[in-house]
Amino acid sequence: MSYITPVSKRKGLQLFGSPNELFLIAAIVVLSLVIGLNNSVFFSIATPFDLLRSSLIEILFALGLLIVLVSGGIDISFPIVGIFAGYTTVVIMLRFELDTYSLIIPLVLAAIVGAILGSVNALLIAGFGLPTLIATLGTAGMFRGFLLSYVGSVYIANIPLGLDQFSTADLLSVETSAGTLARLHVLVIPILILAIALAWMMRRTMFGRTIFAIGGNEESARRMGMNVRWTKARIYMLVGALSGVAGILYISLQRKADPYDLAGTELEIIAAVVLGGASIMGGYGTVTGTILGVLLINLIKDNLILLGVPGSWQRAAVGLMLLIGVIAQAIADKRRLKQTVTVAEEDSE
Amino acid sequence: MFGTENISKAFGGAIALSDVSFSIEPGDIHCLAGENGSGKSTLIKIMSGVETADSGSILLNGQKFRSLSPREAVAHGVQVIFQDFSLIPNLTVAENIALSTDVSEKRKFVNPKRNRQIAANALERMGVDIDLDATVQSIPVSSKQLVAIARALNQGVKILFMDEATTALTRKEIDHLFGIVNGLRDRGVATVFVSHKLDEVQEIAQRITILRNGSVTAEGDIKDFDRKSIALAMTGQEVNEVRLAPEVPANAPTVLQVDSISSPGRFRDISFSVKAGEVVGITGLLGSGRSEIAEALFGMTSIESGTVSVNGTPITLKGPRSAVAAGIGYVPQDRLTQGLFLHQPILKNVLAAAIERFVGPLGFVRGKSIRETVTAWIADLKIKTTNPQNPATSLSGGNQQRVVLAKWLAMTPSVLILNGPTVGVDIGSKRDILEIIRQKALDGMAVVIVSDDIPEIVQIANRVLIIHQGETGAEFDGAEIQEASLYKELAA
């Protein structure tokens, strides 16, 4: 018998990302080809630009949710936190006549409001040890009610000028063959930087590794001396802040602040993150996979019509994608278990 | 010197430890023995800072402590390897070994290169080679344990507690583990084995401390003890390992007939029969296929060829349901995951397999007859509980195993297959469980007992089959069943 375990077979593939990420890229490419062959309008520079624009905010939300899923929890309050923080920020800016051209002020304000809401989740989950699904379901209802009764329930069309103008801040714009302007929003750059920063945080900081450890086995993490409670508290505050930023940017891109917006988007985001390879049981997930998951979902959502599928099927399609993601994980888990058993058997002979 | 002085601890009214003193020198290997609930775990928890003693003190490196925090305990070199190893399955071997160092150094950032180096050094000091980049969930149990030891070593372990360290290991792996523990001893690490397996303990430990009901009942040089005297100190009563194998009447009918069943990659051409009232033991090394045979007879592993008959009728085994329908009951090895609904009441656990018998004509469950039946089983199997509505988690290991037994006995199977029925069960309960099995055999049940516990097989079985790499090796009958001959055959 040897104590040398076989070198993991995935190593060769890892140069190009995990099998799941490869699969997502393949799915995006194949789907694009299918849509494009059905409708040549698809093959235009406008398509990737539009896809990115519609995905940017979702990527922000998804990255926050990724952190929660890796830690073994779930958050369904983030869309409400996002719109709460964004709408409240706009209300505060208008009420106190803050510098209407500033971008920094609304971003910081929204992040703070988001973090405060996130700390309510943190208190319930890390402080009182409530199950994450129930805690965030409860706070989602509370936050929504609070927003509509105390902050405001009216649609605000005149948002501060800085936010308004930011919606057309393009990194580059290209004239398409159809004569329209294809525009790539400048947000692509900060969100890419943020994604890289989060990936680095998950990999290289003790906070990040502790998140993975908690998602893998909370009790073991505790026994290793990790501060499980404080880490959880920080997770939900961080996710709150991220959602707040996403919320104000959403309002900026939409050029209006509607407190009823974003409701129900949690389904899409959860589907995207799970498709991206984050385990609903905790312990696994990557930033790259999450971004690919969001892109895939949006590609499907935005182009169902080009494939001749009625728009009313959008939500059904997204729900189906979520189930596909979960089933794929269950199959992968089973295979992983089998592999362990065979290794053990080989070893004992 | 490490140890405790006059430690006492009570939980509510229940006394867990009273006036316990023990000591161990650096470089010693000590055995801490005792039945479930004797206070072993509490003692470990106090020494590792998880619990605080009501009175008495803890000795670490000759320093006296009234109480300890877990951090202080680690700082003074106390490390515990729990039965589940407390590893993080989704992280790599390197991270599992090195992250606790990062934690105790209060680092903010992780340096993978440095962590790999730390892990590589720790494994090298132990003389083992494990892929540093493999996730812990992908490596075998024996390697997981080595990773846990490497982590302890890395944390500057001076006194190492190992809780039931050998339960999941094969004989060869145990030898390897003992080699490593001897290596630690040469480095001056004090090791405390907490174990039920007395043969193994006698092999490695120099000294022994035995607990019963929270008090030390015996201690001393392990050479001065034998299995009998250890058992006496643990249980407080003479445990006679007399043969319990039931007398089988000459005219007893054959109940279970297995004809050359095969399952590729698991076992080949296995044949045997069991008469009513007979106990057949099946044993072999881990990975020999013994467990797979038991699972196949309950329909959990597919049988490619061969036939199985119960009471003369050939049956097709397609999943546990068909096995239950044919009158086969199965007590699984891992009662925590396979045998019990841990958070459900004892009552429901007992009736889980037999519930269909208690359904009235309208589909309602008959409450009164259920309560009577369960009360009868609790009395019959001597399950220690105040209320059958308590969850199964409230019971000790031995009593949980009785509940699993009761569950299958309640459906009165004609064949009962037991896979490792006494794993993790203390001596007292073990004897009771074997006694129950004997009683059921005398009542006419055909029993198959699959186990790697040779003394247990010798005690209870009428016939013994030894499985070698998936095939029937030797067969022993009646008086031929001797521990020495079985061990010899196993090693062959």
Side-chain angles (χ1 to χ4, degrees):
Chain A
M1 170 180 50
S2 85
Y3 281 85
I4 305 161
T5 46
V7 175
S8 58
K9 284 159 198 148
R10 285 170 58 178
K11 211 167 263 175
L13 282 171
Q14 259 163 1
L15 285 175
F16 312 99
S18 72
N20 185 60
E21 282 153 22
L22 280 181
F23 173 78
L24 285 172
I25 292 173
I28 290 173
V29 169
V30 170
L31 205 64
S32 299
L33 286 175
V34 171
I35 299 168
L37 292 177
N38 260 297
N39 195 326
S40 59
V41 176
F42 184 83
F43 289 129
S44 151
I45 189 71
T47 304
F49 284 7
D50 288 346
L51 179 63
L52 278 172
R53 187 182 173 102
S54 60
S55 303
L56 286 172
I57 305 300
E58 291 197 358
I59 286 174
L60 271 180
F61 279 123
L63 290 176
L65 182 68
L66 167 72
I67 298 172
V68 173
L69 278 188
V70 169
S71 78
I74 182 118
D75 183 351
I76 51 176
S77 68
F78 63 87
I80 311 293
V81 170
I83 200 66
F84 190 125
Y87 186 80
T88 308
T89 299
V90 169
V91 168
I92 292 176
M93 288 190 69
L94 294 176
R95 170 88 53 85
F96 298 99
E97 292 173 10
L98 298 180
D99 181 5
T100 188
Y101 289 101
S102 171
L103 258 185
I104 299 293
I105 294 176
L107 282 175
V108 171
L109 260 179
I112 291 173
V113 175
I116 292 171
L117 298 179
S119 58
V120 176
N121 283 333
L123 179 72
L124 294 173
I125 291 162
F128 298 120
L130 294 191
T132 54
L133 176 69
I134 299 302
T136 57
L137 185 65
T139 54
M142 266 172 48
F143 294 161
R144 173 161 293 269
F146 193 88
L147 172 67
L148 297 176
S149 352
Y150 293 104
V151 184
S153 55
V154 293
Y155 170 106
I156 301 172
N158 295 317
I159 61 171
L161 280 175
L163 290 172
D164 189 66
Q165 284 165 7
F166 186 64
S167 72
T168 51
D170 295 331
L171 183 64
L172 59 122
S173 53
V174 182
E175 194 166 335
T176 60
S177 46
T180 53
L181 222 49
R183 302 177 316 180
L184 182 64
H185 199 273
V186 73
L187 257 185
V188 171
I189 304 286
I191 287 183
L192 186 67
I193 293 171
L194 184 80
I196 293 171
L198 280 178
W200 180 83
M201 181 200 86
M202 295 297 275
R203 252 174 215 279
R204 289 298 185 90
T205 66
M206 275 311 280
F207 176 54
R209 300 323 286 166
T210 306
I211 295 171
F212 276 94
I214 293 174
N217 187 331
E218 195 173 322
E219 185 53 35
S220 296
R222 200 169 285 125
R223 286 182 186 163
M224 277 171 93
M226 293 169 168
N227 194 335
V228 173
R229 275 177 151 203
W230 177 227
T231 304
K232 280 189 177 179
R234 282 161 75 192
I235 291 171
Y236 288 92
M237 288 190 277
L238 174 64
V239 171
L242 265 175
S243 304
V245 170
I248 192 69
L249 288 173
Y250 172 82
I251 286 174
S252 163
L253 292 190
Q254 297 289 315
R255 309 176 74 173
K256 63 177 169 83
D258 182 348
Y260 294 97
D261 264 355
L262 287 177
T265 49
E266 62 271 12
L267 170 65
E268 257 160 59
I269 313 276
I270 292 171
V273 180
V274 169
L275 266 185
S279 166
I280 39 168
M281 310 299 288
Y284 294 91
T286 63
V287 166
T288 322
T290 301
I291 293 174
L292 290 172
V294 173
L295 292 178
L296 178 60
I297 291 261
N298 273 309
L299 182 70
I300 293 171
K301 227 177 59 180
D302 294 352
N303 296 292
L304 276 179
I305 295 169
L306 290 187
L307 283 175
V309 181
S312 51
W313 280 93
Q314 253 187 29
R315 227 173 140 73
V318 173
L320 182 68
M321 298 301 284
L322 172 61
L323 294 178
I324 289 174
V326 174
I327 291 167
Q329 276 178 21
I331 293 170
D333 280 354
K334 220 172 197 178
R335 201 171 292 164
R336 204 156 33 203
L337 202 70
K338 233 178 211 168
Q339 204 177 341
T340 315
V341 171
T342 41
V343 170
E345 275 169 0
E346 279 163 18
D347 222 51
S348 63
E349 268 161 24
Chain B
M1 195 179 74
F2 300 90
T4 57
E5 272 182 12
N6 313 101
I7 288 273
S8 295
K9 171 82 182 170
F11 295 101
I15 292 165
L17 292 173
S18 87
D19 207 21
V20 171
S21 303
F22 93 101
S23 68
I24 175 169
E25 298 291 334
D28 267 359
I29 300 175
H30 201 103
C31 169
L32 189 61
E35 305 206 270
N36 289 328
S38 61
K40 290 172 304 186
S41 328
T42 313
L43 190 61
I44 296 179
K45 280 180 185 159
I46 288 173
M47 285 206 67
S48 57
V50 178
E51 301 273 0
T52 307
D54 297 337
S55 63
S57 48
I58 302 155
L59 289 174
L60 298 176
N61 302 320
Q63 257 179 290
K64 258 192 198 183
F65 295 86
R66 194 39 211 98
S67 67
L68 278 174
S69 73
R71 245 168 230 264
E72 283 173 316
V74 168
H76 285 91
V78 180
Q79 287 286 326
V80 182
I81 295 184
F82 294 94
Q83 246 178 308
D84 64 0
F85 309 134
S86 293
L87 296 173
I88 315 262
N90 55 326
L91 299 187
T92 62
V93 168
E95 284 192 297
N96 267 285
I97 296 174
L99 271 185
S100 41
T101 309
D102 290 334
V103 171
S104 56
E105 289 175 2
K106 299 205 168 119
R107 284 176 180 270
K108 292 270 178 245
F109 303 105
V110 178
N111 180 343
K113 248 191 198 156
R114 178 174 164 276
N115 281 350
R116 287 195 82 217
Q117 197 53 51
I118 289 174
N121 289 345
L123 290 174
E124 201 186 300
R125 267 189 286 167
M126 289 165 53
V128 296
D129 188 358
I130 298 172
D131 178 11
L132 291 172
D133 299 317
T135 55
V136 158
Q137 68 181 358
S138 70
I139 64 176
V141 177
S142 54
S143 304
K144 283 181 189 157
Q145 186 173 50
L146 298 176
V147 170
I149 297 176
R151 184 171 70 188
L153 205 58
N154 203 29
Q155 292 269 81
V157 63
K158 296 204 179 80
I159 174 163
L160 179 68
F161 289 91
M162 299 193 74
D163 192 2
E164 299 292 348
T166 58
T167 308
L169 303 188
T170 63
R171 187 58 236 183
K172 271 184 189 166
E173 289 166 338
I174 291 169
D175 289 340
H176 189 254
L177 173 68
F178 284 177
I180 283 166
V181 170
N182 281 328
L184 295 180
R185 180 192 60 200
D186 297 342
R187 287 168 191 278
V189 175
T191 308
V192 180
F193 268 95
V194 179
S195 183
H196 286 111
K197 291 197 179 171
L198 304 176
D199 316 354
E200 288 164 13
V201 165
Q202 281 172 308
E203 219 175 292
I204 180 116
Q206 288 115 37
R207 294 185 62 78
I208 185 166
T209 298
I210 301 170
L211 291 176
R212 183 172 79 240
N213 294 335
S215 307
V216 176
T217 48
E219 60 164 338
D221 207 313
I222 203 143
K223 286 195 214 82
D224 304 334
F225 287 84
D226 58 15
R227 208 155 78 198
K228 228 174 162 180
S229 56
I230 293 174
L232 176 65
M234 276 167 69
T235 60
Q237 43 188 298
E238 291 277 349
V239 176
N240 292 321
E241 291 192 347
V242 289
R243 288 208 54 186
L244 291 171
E247 283 287 316
V248 185
N251 61 349
T254 298
V255 177
L256 178 70
Q257 179 73 46
V258 176
D259 278 317
S260 63
I261 55 167
S262 299
S263 179
R266 300 189 183 94
F267 51 82
R268 267 184 309 278
D269 204 19
I270 303 290
S271 302
F272 63 94
S273 65
V274 190
K275 289 180 186 164
E278 192 178 30
V279 179
V280 171
I282 295 181
T283 189
L285 299 171
L286 193 75
S288 62
R290 60 176 154 84
S291 269
E292 287 79 359
I293 294 170
E295 285 173 5
L297 290 178
F298 194 57
M300 298 199 312
T301 295
S302 64
I303 296 173
E304 203 86 325
S305 60
T307 56
V308 178
S309 320
V310 175
N311 290 324
T313 324
I315 56 169
T316 36
L317 286 166
K318 284 206 171 115
R321 278 185 76 89
S322 55
V324 170
I328 299 175
Y330 177 70
V331 178
Q333 196 163 25
D334 187 350
R335 64 174 174 272
L336 296 184
T337 61
Q338 296 179 9
L340 283 174
F341 304 103
L342 277 172
H343 299 284
Q344 292 285 333
I346 295 163
L347 179 137
K348 290 193 181 170
N349 270 292
V350 169
L351 290 173
I355 190 72
E356 284 174 15
R357 285 159 202 245
F358 296 94
V359 178
L362 289 176
F364 293 105
V365 174
R366 291 197 301 262
K368 192 171 164 232
S369 83
I370 281 184
R371 278 189 296 277
E372 285 167 4
T373 313
V374 170
T375 314
W377 279 113
I378 286 175
D380 195 9
L381 300 190
K382 294 186 216 153
I383 298 170
K384 268 188 222 151
T385 179
T386 47
N387 185 351
Q389 295 292 351
N390 288 346
T393 41
S394 67
L395 296 172
S396 69
N399 281 301
Q400 286 181 353
Q401 189 69 329
R402 290 173 210 216
V403 171
V404 179
L405 262 177
K407 175 172 92 178
W408 290 106
L409 294 175
M411 64 160 269
T412 52
S414 34
V415 181
L416 184 64
I417 299 163
L418 303 116
N419 194 356
T422 61
V423 172
V425 166
D426 57 60
I427 296 183
S429 291
K430 185 170 170 176
R431 191 191 41 197
D432 287 348
I433 287 170
L434 293 183
E435 187 59 49
I436 293 163
I437 294 170
R438 168 190 161 85
Q439 201 52 52
K440 293 301 154 189
L442 285 175
D443 292 348
M445 205 175 274
V447 180
V448 179
I449 179 165
V450 178
S451 176
D452 64 342
D453 186 333
I454 298 297
E456 163 182 300
I457 289 267
V458 169
Q459 248 182 300
I460 188 79
N462 297 101
R463 271 188 301 132
V464 178
L465 245 66
I466 292 191
I467 307 298
H468 266 306
Q469 294 177 359
E471 289 181 75
T472 316
E475 213 178 312
F476 294 84
D477 207 337
E480 295 163 20
I481 305 175
Q482 298 287 340
E483 271 183 46
S485 50
L486 289 187
Y487 276 124
K488 206 175 138 202
E489 187 58 38
L490 272 181

